[in-house]
Amino acid sequence: MGRVGQSERRVQPIFRHVKVAAILIAGVLVAGGVTAVAVVLLRRDETPEPQAIALRLPAQIAHPDPLQFEPGRTEDYEQAAAFGLSHVLFEKSPGGAVRAAKRTARFRALVDEATSGTAIDPDLVEAIVLLESAGRQDVIAGDDPVNAAGLTQIVAGTATDFLGMQVDLEESRRLTRLLDEAVRRGDVDEATRLRSERSRVDARFEPEQALAGTVRYLTEAKKVFGRDDLAVVSYHMGIGNLSDVVRAYAARDDDSVDSILGDADIDYARLYFDSSPTSHRASWELLASFGDDSQTYYWRVLGALGVMHLLRNDPERLERLAELHDRLPSAALVLHPPGGGERYADATQLGDAVARGRLVSIHPSNGAHITIDPQLMRALAPLTKTPADYLALRPRAARFLEYLAAKVYELSGEKRPLAVMRAAYDDEAASALTPHDPGAVADADVHGTGFAFDMRRRYGSGAQAAAFQWALERLEALGLIAWTRGRSVIHVVVSPRATAAARS
């Protein structure tokens, strides 16, 4: 989650020309909790208002190569990434995403007050609250208040040195220790008293002051970058770090950030999706070097924005999404909801699907950059006389697998192929074919859709491993796959809307 801090070795930014103030659902415009049918007449020289974050399964943006960045599609990239990286909100929010969103909504009046008279969008600040603290004003990253703390997770050094907030760190630490002891004893009255006392010596634990500090930070950050999206990114990454990324992307290490951004239309969609091992490598390496999820922070804020809108405007859909996200360690069931497609109960049904072309065999070749792992062949030997039936996927997933392997080769130059550990299998064979790997067991049922495959975590080189990691991360951010990392395998589930295919 975000960490406003690092004692501001540099400063940090937040929101673009905010394009996400309302959610458009089935022709009904929902804004600020009030529903109204909107009819908008535009002159030719006017730009239509963008749709808000919908958290709906996105279509592939670029064709035929989904990882080829397409300028001018920022809204599409934002919609896709908000969906693709929203799983963490459902998986990690204490008590679940719905309860976290309800807790966050209680602070809306304070959010509106903090942003009143500023250029900062209250919806985005509220989304930051959901992502940072899940609506809990007393949360600390770790057990030491020197770390990120409070409703908007501000680091102590940033609070005092950059935001001018009152933080008596030693007293805050003392009261935190006493508070923890009171909570362990179950002394509710004493815990309440200590929380109140701590908020008087450490402004980060006072919601009004925490929100005011965040708005001040975002305001200053926006002065640096002039854009809302980059400002949001910097709330976690830091202004200095993000400035380095911008310079690296533009290959202008000695120029000021404002001159670079003034000369080129660089938004975060471009920085993230157009930086790779072969294109703008320097900015990719910087983004990859941040080990705290900084590079995906903005997408998760947009996901939180979508969660809050759904809470107010389509709570039943939010509940359905939460139920699907909560069942697996990835968004696999959001891509393929139970009952949404055919499954295969036994070997006969699986074979019939292959015969009908519903499943197609994977055919490794010298140009395919994939191979079948010998362990899979050994597992199939006692199970079936037609192992080819178990080396098959739905046509869309099979093409996507070939594309993924070819893309990793293109990025890394590694000639040794990636190894397929599992493809489609029927329910009857699941117990025998599911790898003995905690990361694979939970997703075993998805193999019955024909859209899932496992790849062995063994690579020909570090370059191949890095390229594979980059491709997985970007494809997930595009909403085209869900994936998890097991001890020995990478489990990949392909979206039914993915259309990628390896180029001949």
Side-chain angles (χ1 to χ4, degrees), residues 50-75:
Q51 293 188 8
I53 302 304
L55 297 184
R56 294 192 181 278
L57 184 66
Q60 185 170 310
I61 296 172
H63 298 274
D65 182 354
L67 291 174
Q68 179 67 45
F69 178 71
E70 284 199 0
R73 304 287 299 275
T74 294
E75 291 175 29

Side-chain angles (χ1 to χ4, degrees), residues 435-454:
H436 299 295
D437 187 321
V441 171
D443 288 329
D445 284 351
V446 190
H447 281 275
T449 66
F451 280 92
F453 53 84
D454 293 348

Side-chain angles (χ1 to χ4, degrees), residues 138-308:
D138 293 310
V139 68
I140 300 173
D143 56 7
D144 188 343
V146 73
N147 300 323
L151 196 66
T152 55
Q153 292 289 279
I154 301 173
V155 172
T158 299
T160 56
D161 300 341
F162 182 60
L163 299 176
M165 301 172 71
Q166 176 188 347
V167 177
D168 184 336
L169 185 56
E170 291 310 311
E171 187 65 4
S172 184
R173 282 170 165 162
R174 184 184 72 83
L175 291 169
T176 295
R177 288 193 295 270
L178 294 175
L179 174 58
D180 290 343
E181 293 171 4
V183 170
R184 283 194 294 270
R185 293 195 309 270
D187 191 338
V188 176
D189 291 340
E190 179 67 1
T192 300
R193 185 190 71 79
L194 289 166
R195 287 191 182 95
S196 178
E197 185 175 350
R198 184 177 62 178
S199 69
R200 289 194 292 272
V201 302
D202 191 335
R204 296 174 297 163
F205 294 104
E206 180 62 46
E208 292 93 334
Q209 295 195 52
L211 289 166
T214 294
V215 171
R216 285 198 299 275
Y217 182 90
L218 298 177
T219 300
E220 292 303 313
K222 193 170 179 180
K223 291 177 183 177
V224 175
F225 294 98
R227 311 181 52 90
D228 295 310
D229 58 343
L230 297 184
V232 174
V233 174
S234 76
Y235 192 77
H236 190 292
M237 188 180 294
I239 286 179
N241 288 334
L242 181 55
S243 296
D244 288 344
V245 172
V246 171
R247 291 189 182 97
Y249 179 86
R252 294 168 60 177
D253 292 345
D254 299 325
D255 291 351
S256 65
V257 170
D258 59 344
S259 67
I260 294 171
L261 295 176
D263 294 341
D265 183 21
I266 301 177
D267 56 24
Y268 194 63
R270 178 183 289 272
L271 283 177
Y272 183 77
F273 288 106
D274 197 30
S275 297
S276 78
T278 57
S279 174
H280 301 284
R281 183 181 178 90
S283 53
W284 164 67
E285 289 179 336
L286 272 177
L287 289 171
S289 72
F290 303 133
D292 57 357
D293 296 322
S294 288
Q295 63 175 319
T296 60
Y297 183 76
Y298 179 57
W299 312 133
R300 289 178 287 130
V301 169
L302 294 185
L305 185 68
V307 168
M308 294 307 299

Side-chain angles (χ1 to χ4, degrees), residues 408 464-474 483 485 490:
V408 171
Q464 186 183 49
F468 192 32
Q469 176 81 17
W470 178 86
L472 292 171
E473 290 174 348
R474 268 49 178 190
W483 70 282
R485 180 187 289 108
I490 298 291

Side-chain angles (χ1 to χ4, degrees), residues 10 32 44 60 97 136-137 161 183 208 265-266 321 404-405 407 486:
R10 1 273 261 211
R44 286 188 177 182
Q60 185 170 310
R136 299 169 298 158
Q137 67 191 65
D161 300 341
V183 170
E208 292 93 334
D265 183 21
I266 301 177
L321 277 175
L404 177 58
K407 191 68 178 183

